[in-house]
Amino acid sequence: MKIHEYQAKELFRKFNIPVARSGVAFSKEEALKIADGLGGFPVVVKAQIHAGGRGKGGGVKLAANPEQLLTIVDQFLGMTLVTHQTGPEGRIVRKVLVEAGQSIDKEYYLSLLVDRQTEKIVIVASQAGGIDIENVAEKTPEKIIKVHVDPLLGIQGYQMREVGFRLGFPALAMKQLYALLFNLYKFFVEYDASLVEINPLILTSAGDVLALDAKVDFDSNALYRHKDLLELRDFGEEDPMEVEASRYNLNYINLDGNVGNIVNGAGLAMATMDIIKNAGATPANFMDVGGGASSQQVENAFRIILADPKVKAILINIFGGILRCDVFAKGVVDAARKTGVNIPVVVRMEGTNVDMGKQILTESGLNLTSASDLLDAAAKIAAAVN
Amino acid sequence: MSIFVNKDTKVVVHGITGKEGSFHARACIEYGTKVVAGITPGKGGQKMDEVPVFDTVSQAIKETGANTSLIFVPPPFCADSIVEAVDGGVKLIVAITEGIPIMDMLKVKNYLTTKACRLIGPNCPGIITPGECKVGIMPGKIHKKGNVGVVSRSGTLTYEVVDQLTKAGLGQSTCIGIGGDPVTGTNFIDVLAAFQADDETHGIVMVGEIGGNAEEQAAAYIKEHMTKPVVGFIAGLTAPPGRRMGHAGAIISGAGGTGAAKIRAFKENGVHTCENLGEIGRICKTIF
């Protein structure tokens, strides 16, 4: 689960991770009030959306006086911000962070994440912080420092020193960096984060270390033990259909094509999308109803996909293991009747009680096309939309 | 022979009195698996059908000689259950549970590296040696005894592959789902090495997915260490790239992780590559 920068910074404050003074504003008036409270200009205005690349995309601006502040906030609120991480459709800006301007001496990059390969928590740091870090990683990987922390031991003193010395951190600021690393690691572990990224981490001209940005992603499997985080979820940043699907524990991603599909199991769902594409059609979604989904789940899935106006046909691909084909077929027939489906539906079933399942579909009198195997299903669905 | 499980495997089911646990324990028994014990703390002394239930793993091992754990415990308690099995002394743990926090699995995995115990999963369908032993939730009926080893990251996709193999007349030595989570107990290379050493396995089907770089590493291992033919499939080749939040993921994985990179790694390392799931049975028939 992603949160906004302003929310992440509030959490940082609780863990004594130094951030600049700031506040979140939903209107021009609020922005002005916050700037007053910060004790003067310049202030930085940062669009709050769940994506990186805001600086390059024009979502971060400096205001030297109240007039400039009002102009910038007016421009930001309601605008669609496109960055290389939002996709071409961009995101609507609904709030801005107003932060005290800083005099920056040096910018660094710092992040913590779970490294799948080593199965450790890895600290990633670079002297070449700022908006071009992706370029740095690609062209000069030797400038990226990686230190792996054993989750059973936690972060060690020498590991913090290694980050500090390899970053070439000035001796006077080293203690501040160690405290920040220690607290950041603590934050990461205690809150079950999967990513914490500070870009840039800055050294001010006064010699202080500050997290000037904060990007945090949490492990959704661990949210049950962090009830306070649930309140930070911003549904406005998510696809409404995906939100609806998540209410029913359906694993759904909205895509651009016109072939809706319902599959049990994530791997099979991905492979089914591939098959649709190979046959010359394009999937409208990824939908995994779960390996052992109930007929109720199938009905929910059906409803969500039918609500998508771009869907011109539906392919259902079920491998019945725990989920028996006869139970599943009943779910499809019920769902089709209730929703009054009026587009072609191709059903391919295999596994436990498949013959009973096929019989139920045939006897339903509904316009459901049965497919004998995957290749047949792909050919039939492509014929239906092309 | 076969790998990891056979007719001598004695299973203790964690969470045997729960809905999932009892349902699948019964299906395993029906398949012929020796399910010798169950665990539900507080229900020691009871029975699930004919299976004695114990409060702790160490008791179950002492009384029944169980050597393999099959875990259905809910996510908040699953890491604890895995560690209890490790400390109890079983040699193999199969964790079916989906949704374990990654921080829990990181700790468990790093603990396991110091122990002589194998974990399969979590978030997996389990393992089956057809005709001998099923420790998992896969439908037993689609399998057939034979000489193809199957290793996969997913559940129903594995069933699809096995079903096509069986229909093409190709039986299986052992089929393993290693699980789709970022941190898993057993990886592709562990299984490939075991299949290479197993006399009964003549060829291998490896079913991967986009994301991570386990398939690329496995492909390099295959070229270096395997003499048996391997057929590879990757699910998600046409999936649009995910919208990343930070830069960190990209920094770690570099160019790896995409379907195209995995297919290229397969082809460059002598893995027979299947690009359409509908044809995997036919392709295996030609190669094996």
Side-chain angles (χ1 to χ4, degrees), chain A residues 2-3 50-53 84-86 89 91 109 111 113-122 124 133-134 137 144 146 150-152 188-189 192-193 195 197 199 215-217 219 221-222 224-225 242 254-255 264-268 270-271 273-275 277-278 291 317 319-322 348 350-352 374-375, chain B residues 20 23-24 75-77 98-104 106-113 137-139 141-142 153-157 159-161 163-164 167 180-185 187 209-213 217 233-240 243-253 275-279:
Chain A
K2 296 171 186 177
I3 59 172
H50 280 184
H84 65 284
Q85 289 188 13
T86 59
E89 70 280 10
R91 293 279 172 82
Y109 171 88
S111 64
L113 70 155
V114 173
D115 183 12
R116 295 169 68 144
Q117 205 176 329
T118 59
E119 292 163 334
K120 310 275 185 217
I121 294 164
V122 61
V124 182
I133 187 69
E134 281 167 331
I144 304 285
K146 289 181 198 170
D150 186 326
L152 292 176
F188 188 91
V189 174
D192 282 285
L195 167 75
E197 186 178 64
N199 187 30
K215 252 186 227 101
V216 179
D217 203 349
D219 176 5
N221 286 341
Y224 72 87
R225 54 189 178 203
E242 291 176 16
N254 196 356
L255 301 169
N264 66 333
L268 191 58
M270 282 196 279
M273 287 164 55
D274 295 345
I275 284 169
K277 203 108 182 200
N278 286 340
N317 182 19
F319 201 104
I322 312 164
R348 185 270 179 168
E350 198 50 77
T352 315
L374 285 176
L375 296 176
Chain B
E20 297 268 301
F23 177 84
H24 290 293
F77 317 108
E98 179 181 352
I100 304 179
I102 191 166
M103 208 61 78
D104 290 4
L106 274 181
K107 289 179 183 159
V108 165
K109 185 66 193 288
N110 281 278
Y111 180 63
L112 268 167
T113 55
I137 61 172
M138 62 289 278
K141 266 191 271 181
I142 59 171
R153 262 162 77 170
S154 59
T156 49
L157 176 54
Y159 311 160
E160 172 70 39
V161 170
D163 189 54
Q164 286 191 35
K167 283 179 178 157
D181 280 2
V183 176
T184 54
N187 62 31
E209 287 173 8
I210 51 169
N213 65 351
Q217 288 175 320
F233 174 79
I234 302 287
L237 291 180
T238 62
R243 295 178 198 118
R244 282 192 327 264
M245 182 188 189
H247 316 280
I251 291 170
I252 289 293
S253 60
E275 297 196 42
N276 190 330
L277 181 63
E279 293 176 345

Side-chain angles (χ1 to χ4, degrees), chain B residues 83-102:
Chain B
V83 174
E84 185 184 5
V86 177
D87 291 350
V90 299
K91 293 289 165 255
L92 179 72
I93 301 167
V94 178
I96 305 299
T97 309
E98 179 181 352
I100 304 179
I102 191 166

Side-chain angles (χ1 to χ4, degrees), chain B residues 4 118 151 187-198 204 206 213-228 230 265-266 268-271:
Chain B
F4 304 147
R118 170 173 300 287
V151 56
N187 62 31
F188 279 124
I189 294 175
D190 299 329
V191 179
L192 290 169
F195 277 140
Q196 175 67 25
D198 174 39
I204 296 125
M206 179 181 149
N213 65 351
E215 288 80 4
E216 287 90 329
Q217 288 175 320
Y221 180 88
I222 288 165
K223 185 176 187 182
E224 197 74 14
H225 302 280
M226 309 262 307
T227 55
K228 297 176 182 177
V230 180
F266 275 176
E268 282 170 2
N269 289 290
V271 177

Side-chain angles (χ1 to χ4, degrees), chain B residues 35-199:
Chain B
V35 175
V36 297
I39 311 283
T40 300
K43 293 196 178 171
Q46 299 184 7
K47 284 197 164 184
M48 200 290 294
D49 298 345
E50 293 305 306
V51 183
V53 179
F54 298 89
D55 291 319
T56 67
V57 174
S58 57
Q59 266 179 306
I61 293 175
K62 206 170 133 206
E63 302 283 328
T64 66
N67 56 18
T68 299
S69 280
L70 174 58
I71 300 182
F72 291 99
V73 172
F77 317 108
C78 194
D80 177 60
S81 203
I82 295 171
V83 174
E84 185 184 5
V86 177
D87 291 350
V90 299
K91 293 289 165 255
L92 179 72
I93 301 167
V94 178
I96 305 299
T97 309
E98 179 181 352
I100 304 179
I102 191 166
M103 208 61 78
D104 290 4
M105 273 314 298
L106 274 181
K107 289 179 183 159
V108 165
K109 185 66 193 288
N110 281 278
Y111 180 63
L112 268 167
T113 55
T114 64
K115 304 285 170 181
C117 174
R118 170 173 300 287
L119 169 68
I120 296 175
N123 188 14
C124 79
I127 175 169
I128 182 169
T129 292
E132 294 192 25
C133 178
K134 158 173 130 92
V135 187
I137 61 172
M138 62 289 278
K141 266 191 271 181
I142 59 171
H143 298 80
K144 180 185 156 192
K145 194 165 184 54
N147 304 106
V148 179
V150 178
V151 56
S152 164
R153 262 162 77 170
S154 59
T156 49
L157 176 54
T158 319
Y159 311 160
E160 172 70 39
V161 170
V162 168
D163 189 54
Q164 286 191 35
L165 288 174
T166 298
K167 283 179 178 157
L170 297 166
Q172 306 91 40
S173 52
T174 300
C175 305
I176 303 181
I178 56 176
D181 280 2
V183 176
T184 54
T186 294
N187 62 31
F188 279 124
I189 294 175
D190 299 329
V191 179
L192 290 169
F195 277 140
Q196 175 67 25
D198 174 39
D199 294 340

Side-chain angles (χ1 to χ4, degrees), chain A residues 3 22 24 34 41-42 56-57 63-64 74 80 83 100 129 145 154 169 195 206 209 227 261 264 267 323 350 372 386:
Chain A
I3 59 172
S22 62
V24 64
I34 291 164
F41 285 81
K56 266 188 190 168
D74 198 39
T80 300
T83 82
I145 300 163
F169 230 70
L195 167 75
V209 178
K227 301 278 185 252
N261 56 96
N264 66 333
L323 171 62
E350 198 50 77
S372 56
N386 289 340

Side-chain angles (χ1 to χ4, degrees), chain A residues 306-382:
Chain A
L306 282 173
D308 182 351
K310 62 183 187 298
V311 170
K312 300 287 173 256
I314 298 178
L315 171 61
I316 300 178
N317 182 19
I318 296 293
F319 201 104
I322 312 164
L323 171 62
R324 298 188 336 246
C325 291
D326 54 325
V327 173
F328 172 75
K330 271 194 202 116
V332 170
V333 170
D334 285 350
R337 289 221 169 95
K338 276 188 201 164
T339 50
V341 52
N342 53 4
I343 53 174
V345 178
V346 176
V347 185
R348 185 270 179 168
M349 284 189 298
E350 198 50 77
T352 315
N353 294 352
V354 62
D355 293 331
M356 282 168 72
K358 281 184 179 163
Q359 198 182 339
I360 290 167
L361 292 183
T362 316
E363 288 170 359
S364 71
L366 290 163
N367 185 18
L368 304 168
T369 310
S370 205
S372 56
D373 61 24
L374 285 176
L375 296 176
D376 184 37
K380 281 177 174 156
I381 199 75

